Amino acid sequence: MDWHQIEENWKEAKRKIQEKWGKLSDDDLNAIAGRRNRLEDRISKRYGFAEDHVRKEIDDWLRWQTQTLQTPGANRTKLGPPFLRRNEI
């Protein structure tokens, strides 16, 4: 999956982004409007992360979305990456 697909499917992507970054409000997501640079800015402001950290988080999230879509029968988007699952810690 690339960012172009996120832009095209922004309505669905907004839901998944808000699941991952819960501090983003509906107003934030509407202002982002599918633009990655705006998402980076909003995450940085809401969480206080450095720009390079935010870029890496978004890259990791995007890669995870791709893996989830390519795994038949997988419904991992609600659980997040395995390393974030509390029951496995």
mmCIF file with all atom_site columns, all heavy atoms in Angstrom, residues 1-19:
data_model
loop_
_atom_site.group_PDB
_atom_site.id
_atom_site.type_symbol
_atom_site.label_atom_id
_atom_site.label_alt_id
_atom_site.label_comp_id
_atom_site.label_asym_id
_atom_site.label_entity_id
_atom_site.label_seq_id
_atom_site.pdbx_PDB_ins_code
_atom_site.Cartn_x
_atom_site.Cartn_y
_atom_site.Cartn_z
_atom_site.occupancy
_atom_site.B_iso_or_equiv
_atom_site.pdbx_formal_charge
_atom_site.auth_seq_id
_atom_site.auth_comp_id
_atom_site.auth_asym_id
_atom_site.auth_atom_id
_atom_site.pdbx_PDB_model_num
ATOM 1   N N   . MET A 1 1  ? 0.852   -1.173 0.000  1.00 0.00 ? 1  MET A N   1
ATOM 2   C CA  . MET A 1 1  ? 0.000   0.000  0.000  1.00 0.00 ? 1  MET A CA  1
ATOM 3   C C   . MET A 1 1  ? 0.891   1.226  0.000  1.00 0.00 ? 1  MET A C   1
ATOM 4   O O   . MET A 1 1  ? 1.899   1.259  0.686  1.00 0.00 ? 1  MET A O   1
ATOM 5   C CB  . MET A 1 1  ? -0.894  -0.022 1.235  1.00 0.00 ? 1  MET A CB  1
ATOM 6   C CG  . MET A 1 1  ? -1.795  1.182  1.348  1.00 0.00 ? 1  MET A CG  1
ATOM 7   S SD  . MET A 1 1  ? -2.849  1.179  2.806  1.00 0.00 ? 1  MET A SD  1
ATOM 8   C CE  . MET A 1 1  ? -3.999  -0.105 2.371  1.00 0.00 ? 1  MET A CE  1
ATOM 9   N N   . ASP A 1 2  ? 0.503   2.214  -0.767 1.00 0.00 ? 2  ASP A N   1
ATOM 10  C CA  . ASP A 1 2  ? 1.250   3.461  -0.756 1.00 0.00 ? 2  ASP A CA  1
ATOM 11  C C   . ASP A 1 2  ? 0.312   4.583  -0.312 1.00 0.00 ? 2  ASP A C   1
ATOM 12  O O   . ASP A 1 2  ? -0.882  4.383  -0.132 1.00 0.00 ? 2  ASP A O   1
ATOM 13  C CB  . ASP A 1 2  ? 1.889   3.745  -2.112 1.00 0.00 ? 2  ASP A CB  1
ATOM 14  C CG  . ASP A 1 2  ? 0.877   3.921  -3.234 1.00 0.00 ? 2  ASP A CG  1
ATOM 15  O OD1 . ASP A 1 2  ? -0.325  4.094  -2.960 1.00 0.00 ? 2  ASP A OD1 1
ATOM 16  O OD2 . ASP A 1 2  ? 1.285   3.887  -4.402 1.00 0.00 ? 2  ASP A OD2 1
ATOM 17  N N   . TRP A 1 3  ? 0.891   5.759  -0.138 1.00 0.00 ? 3  TRP A N   1
ATOM 18  C CA  . TRP A 1 3  ? 0.079   6.857  0.390  1.00 0.00 ? 3  TRP A CA  1
ATOM 19  C C   . TRP A 1 3  ? -1.032  7.265  -0.569 1.00 0.00 ? 3  TRP A C   1
ATOM 20  O O   . TRP A 1 3  ? -2.098  7.711  -0.133 1.00 0.00 ? 3  TRP A O   1
ATOM 21  C CB  . TRP A 1 3  ? 0.956   8.056  0.766  1.00 0.00 ? 3  TRP A CB  1
ATOM 22  C CG  . TRP A 1 3  ? 0.153   8.930  1.674  1.00 0.00 ? 3  TRP A CG  1
ATOM 23  C CD1 . TRP A 1 3  ? -0.500  10.078 1.354  1.00 0.00 ? 3  TRP A CD1 1
ATOM 24  C CD2 . TRP A 1 3  ? -0.152  8.663  3.041  1.00 0.00 ? 3  TRP A CD2 1
ATOM 25  N NE1 . TRP A 1 3  ? -1.179  10.554 2.444  1.00 0.00 ? 3  TRP A NE1 1
ATOM 26  C CE2 . TRP A 1 3  ? -0.982  9.695  3.494  1.00 0.00 ? 3  TRP A CE2 1
ATOM 27  C CE3 . TRP A 1 3  ? 0.195   7.650  3.931  1.00 0.00 ? 3  TRP A CE3 1
ATOM 28  C CZ2 . TRP A 1 3  ? -1.461  9.755  4.802  1.00 0.00 ? 3  TRP A CZ2 1
ATOM 29  C CZ3 . TRP A 1 3  ? -0.285  7.714  5.222  1.00 0.00 ? 3  TRP A CZ3 1
ATOM 30  C CH2 . TRP A 1 3  ? -1.105  8.758  5.639  1.00 0.00 ? 3  TRP A CH2 1
ATOM 31  N N   . HIS A 1 4  ? -0.828  7.066  -1.849 1.00 0.00 ? 4  HIS A N   1
ATOM 32  C CA  . HIS A 1 4  ? -1.862  7.397  -2.834 1.00 0.00 ? 4  HIS A CA  1
ATOM 33  C C   . HIS A 1 4  ? -3.144  6.607  -2.532 1.00 0.00 ? 4  HIS A C   1
ATOM 34  O O   . HIS A 1 4  ? -4.251  7.142  -2.639 1.00 0.00 ? 4  HIS A O   1
ATOM 35  C CB  . HIS A 1 4  ? -1.361  7.116  -4.250 1.00 0.00 ? 4  HIS A CB  1
ATOM 36  C CG  . HIS A 1 4  ? -2.338  7.456  -5.306 1.00 0.00 ? 4  HIS A CG  1
ATOM 37  N ND1 . HIS A 1 4  ? -2.674  8.758  -5.614 1.00 0.00 ? 4  HIS A ND1 1
ATOM 38  C CD2 . HIS A 1 4  ? -3.095  6.675  -6.122 1.00 0.00 ? 4  HIS A CD2 1
ATOM 39  C CE1 . HIS A 1 4  ? -3.584  8.758  -6.572 1.00 0.00 ? 4  HIS A CE1 1
ATOM 40  N NE2 . HIS A 1 4  ? -3.859  7.501  -6.892 1.00 0.00 ? 4  HIS A NE2 1
ATOM 41  N N   . GLN A 1 5  ? -3.012  5.357  -2.125 1.00 0.00 ? 5  GLN A N   1
ATOM 42  C CA  . GLN A 1 5  ? -4.177  4.538  -1.786 1.00 0.00 ? 5  GLN A CA  1
ATOM 43  C C   . GLN A 1 5  ? -4.866  5.058  -0.524 1.00 0.00 ? 5  GLN A C   1
ATOM 44  O O   . GLN A 1 5  ? -6.083  4.995  -0.415 1.00 0.00 ? 5  GLN A O   1
ATOM 45  C CB  . GLN A 1 5  ? -3.767  3.076  -1.605 1.00 0.00 ? 5  GLN A CB  1
ATOM 46  C CG  . GLN A 1 5  ? -3.348  2.432  -2.912 1.00 0.00 ? 5  GLN A CG  1
ATOM 47  C CD  . GLN A 1 5  ? -2.756  1.061  -2.673 1.00 0.00 ? 5  GLN A CD  1
ATOM 48  O OE1 . GLN A 1 5  ? -1.766  0.929  -1.966 1.00 0.00 ? 5  GLN A OE1 1
ATOM 49  N NE2 . GLN A 1 5  ? -3.369  0.049  -3.254 1.00 0.00 ? 5  GLN A NE2 1
ATOM 50  N N   . ILE A 1 6  ? -4.096  5.567  0.408  1.00 0.00 ? 6  ILE A N   1
ATOM 51  C CA  . ILE A 1 6  ? -4.669  6.166  1.620  1.00 0.00 ? 6  ILE A CA  1
ATOM 52  C C   . ILE A 1 6  ? -5.511  7.376  1.226  1.00 0.00 ? 6  ILE A C   1
ATOM 53  O O   . ILE A 1 6  ? -6.633  7.546  1.698  1.00 0.00 ? 6  ILE A O   1
ATOM 54  C CB  . ILE A 1 6  ? -3.560  6.578  2.616  1.00 0.00 ? 6  ILE A CB  1
ATOM 55  C CG1 . ILE A 1 6  ? -2.788  5.358  3.111  1.00 0.00 ? 6  ILE A CG1 1
ATOM 56  C CG2 . ILE A 1 6  ? -4.140  7.392  3.769  1.00 0.00 ? 6  ILE A CG2 1
ATOM 57  C CD1 . ILE A 1 6  ? -3.576  4.403  3.962  1.00 0.00 ? 6  ILE A CD1 1
ATOM 58  N N   . GLU A 1 7  ? -4.963  8.214  0.359  1.00 0.00 ? 7  GLU A N   1
ATOM 59  C CA  . GLU A 1 7  ? -5.705  9.399  -0.089 1.00 0.00 ? 7  GLU A CA  1
ATOM 60  C C   . GLU A 1 7  ? -7.014  9.018  -0.772 1.00 0.00 ? 7  GLU A C   1
ATOM 61  O O   . GLU A 1 7  ? -8.051  9.634  -0.531 1.00 0.00 ? 7  GLU A O   1
ATOM 62  C CB  . GLU A 1 7  ? -4.849  10.229 -1.049 1.00 0.00 ? 7  GLU A CB  1
ATOM 63  C CG  . GLU A 1 7  ? -3.677  10.908 -0.377 1.00 0.00 ? 7  GLU A CG  1
ATOM 64  C CD  . GLU A 1 7  ? -2.746  11.571 -1.379 1.00 0.00 ? 7  GLU A CD  1
ATOM 65  O OE1 . GLU A 1 7  ? -2.792  11.229 -2.578 1.00 0.00 ? 7  GLU A OE1 1
ATOM 66  O OE2 . GLU A 1 7  ? -1.963  12.424 -0.950 1.00 0.00 ? 7  GLU A OE2 1
ATOM 67  N N   . GLU A 1 8  ? -6.960  8.002  -1.616 1.00 0.00 ? 8  GLU A N   1
ATOM 68  C CA  . GLU A 1 8  ? -8.159  7.577  -2.347 1.00 0.00 ? 8  GLU A CA  1
ATOM 69  C C   . GLU A 1 8  ? -9.216  6.972  -1.434 1.00 0.00 ? 8  GLU A C   1
ATOM 70  O O   . GLU A 1 8  ? -10.402 7.053  -1.715 1.00 0.00 ? 8  GLU A O   1
ATOM 71  C CB  . GLU A 1 8  ? -7.782  6.562  -3.432 1.00 0.00 ? 8  GLU A CB  1
ATOM 72  C CG  . GLU A 1 8  ? -7.047  7.159  -4.591 1.00 0.00 ? 8  GLU A CG  1
ATOM 73  C CD  . GLU A 1 8  ? -6.663  6.123  -5.631 1.00 0.00 ? 8  GLU A CD  1
ATOM 74  O OE1 . GLU A 1 8  ? -6.792  4.903  -5.368 1.00 0.00 ? 8  GLU A OE1 1
ATOM 75  O OE2 . GLU A 1 8  ? -6.237  6.533  -6.718 1.00 0.00 ? 8  GLU A OE2 1
ATOM 76  N N   . ASN A 1 9  ? -8.779  6.336  -0.353 1.00 0.00 ? 9  ASN A N   1
ATOM 77  C CA  . ASN A 1 9  ? -9.696  5.682  0.580  1.00 0.00 ? 9  ASN A CA  1
ATOM 78  C C   . ASN A 1 9  ? -9.667  6.379  1.937  1.00 0.00 ? 9  ASN A C   1
ATOM 79  O O   . ASN A 1 9  ? -9.629  5.732  2.979  1.00 0.00 ? 9  ASN A O   1
ATOM 80  C CB  . ASN A 1 9  ? -9.310  4.205  0.742  1.00 0.00 ? 9  ASN A CB  1
ATOM 81  C CG  . ASN A 1 9  ? -9.392  3.467  -0.562 1.00 0.00 ? 9  ASN A CG  1
ATOM 82  O OD1 . ASN A 1 9  ? -10.435 3.421  -1.191 1.00 0.00 ? 9  ASN A OD1 1
ATOM 83  N ND2 . ASN A 1 9  ? -8.273  2.900  -0.985 1.00 0.00 ? 9  ASN A ND2 1
ATOM 84  N N   . TRP A 1 10 ? -9.691  7.699  1.905  1.00 0.00 ? 10 TRP A N   1
ATOM 85  C CA  . TRP A 1 10 ? -9.497  8.476  3.121  1.00 0.00 ? 10 TRP A CA  1
ATOM 86  C C   . TRP A 1 10 ? -10.547 8.177  4.184  1.00 0.00 ? 10 TRP A C   1
ATOM 87  O O   . TRP A 1 10 ? -10.247 8.123  5.373  1.00 0.00 ? 10 TRP A O   1
ATOM 88  C CB  . TRP A 1 10 ? -9.457  9.964  2.810  1.00 0.00 ? 10 TRP A CB  1
ATOM 89  C CG  . TRP A 1 10 ? -9.209  10.785 4.025  1.00 0.00 ? 10 TRP A CG  1
ATOM 90  C CD1 . TRP A 1 10 ? -10.017 11.743 4.548  1.00 0.00 ? 10 TRP A CD1 1
ATOM 91  C CD2 . TRP A 1 10 ? -8.066  10.715 4.904  1.00 0.00 ? 10 TRP A CD2 1
ATOM 92  N NE1 . TRP A 1 10 ? -9.455  12.276 5.686  1.00 0.00 ? 10 TRP A NE1 1
ATOM 93  C CE2 . TRP A 1 10 ? -8.255  11.653 5.919  1.00 0.00 ? 10 TRP A CE2 1
ATOM 94  C CE3 . TRP A 1 10 ? -6.919  9.934  4.921  1.00 0.00 ? 10 TRP A CE3 1
ATOM 95  C CZ2 . TRP A 1 10 ? -7.341  11.843 6.950  1.00 0.00 ? 10 TRP A CZ2 1
ATOM 96  C CZ3 . TRP A 1 10 ? -6.002  10.115 5.948  1.00 0.00 ? 10 TRP A CZ3 1
ATOM 97  C CH2 . TRP A 1 10 ? -6.220  11.058 6.936  1.00 0.00 ? 10 TRP A CH2 1
ATOM 98  N N   . LYS A 1 11 ? -11.776 7.946  3.789  1.00 0.00 ? 11 LYS A N   1
ATOM 99  C CA  . LYS A 1 11 ? -12.827 7.686  4.778  1.00 0.00 ? 11 LYS A CA  1
ATOM 100 C C   . LYS A 1 11 ? -12.482 6.459  5.623  1.00 0.00 ? 11 LYS A C   1
ATOM 101 O O   . LYS A 1 11 ? -12.582 6.491  6.853  1.00 0.00 ? 11 LYS A O   1
ATOM 102 C CB  . LYS A 1 11 ? -14.168 7.498  4.072  1.00 0.00 ? 11 LYS A CB  1
ATOM 103 C CG  . LYS A 1 11 ? -15.328 7.411  5.020  1.00 0.00 ? 11 LYS A CG  1
ATOM 104 C CD  . LYS A 1 11 ? -16.642 7.382  4.261  1.00 0.00 ? 11 LYS A CD  1
ATOM 105 C CE  . LYS A 1 11 ? -17.817 7.331  5.222  1.00 0.00 ? 11 LYS A CE  1
ATOM 106 N NZ  . LYS A 1 11 ? -19.081 7.371  4.527  1.00 0.00 ? 11 LYS A NZ  1
ATOM 107 N N   . GLU A 1 12 ? -12.070 5.384  4.998  1.00 0.00 ? 12 GLU A N   1
ATOM 108 C CA  . GLU A 1 12 ? -11.667 4.174  5.717  1.00 0.00 ? 12 GLU A CA  1
ATOM 109 C C   . GLU A 1 12 ? -10.351 4.398  6.459  1.00 0.00 ? 12 GLU A C   1
ATOM 110 O O   . GLU A 1 12 ? -10.181 3.966  7.595  1.00 0.00 ? 12 GLU A O   1
ATOM 111 C CB  . GLU A 1 12 ? -11.531 2.993  4.757  1.00 0.00 ? 12 GLU A CB  1
ATOM 112 C CG  . GLU A 1 12 ? -11.025 1.722  5.386  1.00 0.00 ? 12 GLU A CG  1
ATOM 113 C CD  . GLU A 1 12 ? -11.981 1.097  6.393  1.00 0.00 ? 12 GLU A CD  1
ATOM 114 O OE1 . GLU A 1 12 ? -13.178 1.415  6.377  1.00 0.00 ? 12 GLU A OE1 1
ATOM 115 O OE2 . GLU A 1 12 ? -11.517 0.279  7.197  1.00 0.00 ? 12 GLU A OE2 1
ATOM 116 N N   . ALA A 1 13 ? -9.429  5.075  5.830  1.00 0.00 ? 13 ALA A N   1
ATOM 117 C CA  . ALA A 1 13 ? -8.121  5.323  6.445  1.00 0.00 ? 13 ALA A CA  1
ATOM 118 C C   . ALA A 1 13 ? -8.259  6.177  7.701  1.00 0.00 ? 13 ALA A C   1
ATOM 119 O O   . ALA A 1 13 ? -7.546  5.942  8.688  1.00 0.00 ? 13 ALA A O   1
ATOM 120 C CB  . ALA A 1 13 ? -7.189  5.998  5.447  1.00 0.00 ? 13 ALA A CB  1
ATOM 121 N N   . LYS A 1 14 ? -9.175  7.133  7.697  1.00 0.00 ? 14 LYS A N   1
ATOM 122 C CA  . LYS A 1 14 ? -9.384  7.983  8.875  1.00 0.00 ? 14 LYS A CA  1
ATOM 123 C C   . LYS A 1 14 ? -9.704  7.144  10.098 1.00 0.00 ? 14 LYS A C   1
ATOM 124 O O   . LYS A 1 14 ? -9.176  7.389  11.183 1.00 0.00 ? 14 LYS A O   1
ATOM 125 C CB  . LYS A 1 14 ? -10.555 8.955  8.653  1.00 0.00 ? 14 LYS A CB  1
ATOM 126 C CG  . LYS A 1 14 ? -10.225 10.163 7.872  1.00 0.00 ? 14 LYS A CG  1
ATOM 127 C CD  . LYS A 1 14 ? -11.261 11.249 7.897  1.00 0.00 ? 14 LYS A CD  1
ATOM 128 C CE  . LYS A 1 14 ? -12.698 10.888 8.009  1.00 0.00 ? 14 LYS A CE  1
ATOM 129 N NZ  . LYS A 1 14 ? -13.588 12.052 7.877  1.00 0.00 ? 14 LYS A NZ  1
ATOM 130 N N   . ARG A 1 15 ? -10.551 6.159  9.931  1.00 0.00 ? 15 ARG A N   1
ATOM 131 C CA  . ARG A 1 15 ? -10.940 5.299  11.047 1.00 0.00 ? 15 ARG A CA  1
ATOM 132 C C   . ARG A 1 15 ? -9.721  4.547  11.598 1.00 0.00 ? 15 ARG A C   1
ATOM 133 O O   . ARG A 1 15 ? -9.496  4.506  12.809 1.00 0.00 ? 15 ARG A O   1
ATOM 134 C CB  . ARG A 1 15 ? -12.016 4.313  10.597 1.00 0.00 ? 15 ARG A CB  1
ATOM 135 C CG  . ARG A 1 15 ? -12.541 3.419  11.708 1.00 0.00 ? 15 ARG A CG  1
ATOM 136 C CD  . ARG A 1 15 ? -13.558 2.422  11.188 1.00 0.00 ? 15 ARG A CD  1
ATOM 137 N NE  . ARG A 1 15 ? -13.019 1.517  10.175 1.00 0.00 ? 15 ARG A NE  1
ATOM 138 C CZ  . ARG A 1 15 ? -12.246 0.461  10.451 1.00 0.00 ? 15 ARG A CZ  1
ATOM 139 N NH1 . ARG A 1 15 ? -11.916 0.187  11.688 1.00 0.00 ? 15 ARG A NH1 1
ATOM 140 N NH2 . ARG A 1 15 ? -11.806 -0.316 9.483  1.00 0.00 ? 15 ARG A NH2 1
ATOM 141 N N   . LYS A 1 16 ? -8.933  4.005  10.694 1.00 0.00 ? 16 LYS A N   1
ATOM 142 C CA  . LYS A 1 16 ? -7.755  3.246  11.117 1.00 0.00 ? 16 LYS A CA  1
ATOM 143 C C   . LYS A 1 16 ? -6.698  4.152  11.748 1.00 0.00 ? 16 LYS A C   1
ATOM 144 O O   . LYS A 1 16 ? -6.031  3.761  12.706 1.00 0.00 ? 16 LYS A O   1
ATOM 145 C CB  . LYS A 1 16 ? -7.168  2.487  9.936  1.00 0.00 ? 16 LYS A CB  1
ATOM 146 C CG  . LYS A 1 16 ? -8.074  1.371  9.463  1.00 0.00 ? 16 LYS A CG  1
ATOM 147 C CD  . LYS A 1 16 ? -7.473  0.641  8.293  1.00 0.00 ? 16 LYS A CD  1
ATOM 148 C CE  . LYS A 1 16 ? -8.388  -0.486 7.844  1.00 0.00 ? 16 LYS A CE  1
ATOM 149 N NZ  . LYS A 1 16 ? -7.803  -1.241 6.735  1.00 0.00 ? 16 LYS A NZ  1
ATOM 150 N N   . ILE A 1 17 ? -6.555  5.347  11.209 1.00 0.00 ? 17 ILE A N   1
ATOM 151 C CA  . ILE A 1 17 ? -5.597  6.305  11.762 1.00 0.00 ? 17 ILE A CA  1
ATOM 152 C C   . ILE A 1 17 ? -6.028  6.729  13.159 1.00 0.00 ? 17 ILE A C   1
ATOM 153 O O   . ILE A 1 17 ? -5.208  6.810  14.076 1.00 0.00 ? 17 ILE A O   1
ATOM 154 C CB  . ILE A 1 17 ? -5.429  7.513  10.818 1.00 0.00 ? 17 ILE A CB  1
ATOM 155 C CG1 . ILE A 1 17 ? -4.630  7.080  9.586  1.00 0.00 ? 17 ILE A CG1 1
ATOM 156 C CG2 . ILE A 1 17 ? -4.765  8.684  11.522 1.00 0.00 ? 17 ILE A CG2 1
ATOM 157 C CD1 . ILE A 1 17 ? -4.612  8.087  8.463  1.00 0.00 ? 17 ILE A CD1 1
ATOM 158 N N   . GLN A 1 18 ? -7.325  6.945  13.343 1.00 0.00 ? 18 GLN A N   1
ATOM 159 C CA  . GLN A 1 18 ? -7.795  7.345  14.667 1.00 0.00 ? 18 GLN A CA  1
ATOM 160 C C   . GLN A 1 18 ? -7.664  6.198  15.673 1.00 0.00 ? 18 GLN A C   1
ATOM 161 O O   . GLN A 1 18 ? -7.433  6.437  16.851 1.00 0.00 ? 18 GLN A O   1
ATOM 162 C CB  . GLN A 1 18 ? -9.229  7.849  14.606 1.00 0.00 ? 18 GLN A CB  1
ATOM 163 C CG  . GLN A 1 18 ? -9.595  8.668  15.827 1.00 0.00 ? 18 GLN A CG  1
ATOM 164 C CD  . GLN A 1 18 ? -10.814 9.516  15.609 1.00 0.00 ? 18 GLN A CD  1
ATOM 165 O OE1 . GLN A 1 18 ? -11.735 9.137  14.899 1.00 0.00 ? 18 GLN A OE1 1
ATOM 166 N NE2 . GLN A 1 18 ? -10.828 10.675 16.230 1.00 0.00 ? 18 GLN A NE2 1
ATOM 167 N N   . GLU A 1 19 ? -7.766  4.955  15.210 1.00 0.00 ? 19 GLU A N   1
ATOM 168 C CA  . GLU A 1 19 ? -7.521  3.821  16.103 1.00 0.00 ? 19 GLU A CA  1
ATOM 169 C C   . GLU A 1 19 ? -6.072  3.803  16.566 1.00 0.00 ? 19 GLU A C   1
ATOM 170 O O   . GLU A 1 19 ? -5.786  3.510  17.719 1.00 0.00 ? 19 GLU A O   1
ATOM 171 C CB  . GLU A 1 19 ? -7.843  2.500  15.398 1.00 0.00 ? 19 GLU A CB  1
ATOM 172 C CG  . GLU A 1 19 ? -9.310  2.234  15.221 1.00 0.00 ? 19 GLU A CG  1
ATOM 173 C CD  . GLU A 1 19 ? -9.590  0.971  14.424 1.00 0.00 ? 19 GLU A CD  1
ATOM 174 O OE1 . GLU A 1 19 ? -8.644  0.215  14.121 1.00 0.00 ? 19 GLU A OE1 1
ATOM 175 O OE2 . GLU A 1 19 ? -10.765 0.732  14.102 1.00 0.00 ? 19 GLU A OE2 1
#
